[in-house]
Amino acid sequence: AIPAAASAQETTSTIRGTVTSGGAPVAGATVTVLNVPSGTTATSTTDANGSFNAGGLRVGGPFTVTVEAPGYQSATVTDIFT
């Protein structure tokens, strides 16, 4: 038997970012990532630095990202492609 090299294509994607208000990080914000064509969602919560990481997403898009946090107005970003 002759070993063959195996390769794989990336089958998932990740959206990362930082949530801020007035330049200050927003900890504990809920970030919802919607894959528009499929209707599937992934949810993440920001850490103490306002950072989030939503992984395991379908490659492509478009995605819509919505951020909500108590005491802040919600925000939405559309047409994100990975």
Side-chain angles (χ1 to χ4, degrees):
I2 300 172
S7 63
Q9 288 183 308
E10 190 70 32
T11 58
T12 62
S13 186
T14 302
I15 294 177
R16 298 179 185 93
T18 304
V19 178
T20 61
S21 178
V26 178
T30 300
V31 179
T32 304
V33 179
L34 168 69
N35 180 285
V36 176
S38 70
T40 57
T41 60
T43 304
S44 182
T45 303
T46 58
D47 63 16
N49 298 318
S51 298
F52 70 91
N53 185 354
L57 306 172
R58 294 177 182 224
V59 175
F63 293 93
T64 296
V65 177
T66 303
V67 179
E68 298 174 312
Y72 296 91
Q73 184 175 356
S74 65
T76 301
V77 179
T78 60
D79 296 323
I80 298 172
F81 290 84
T82 60

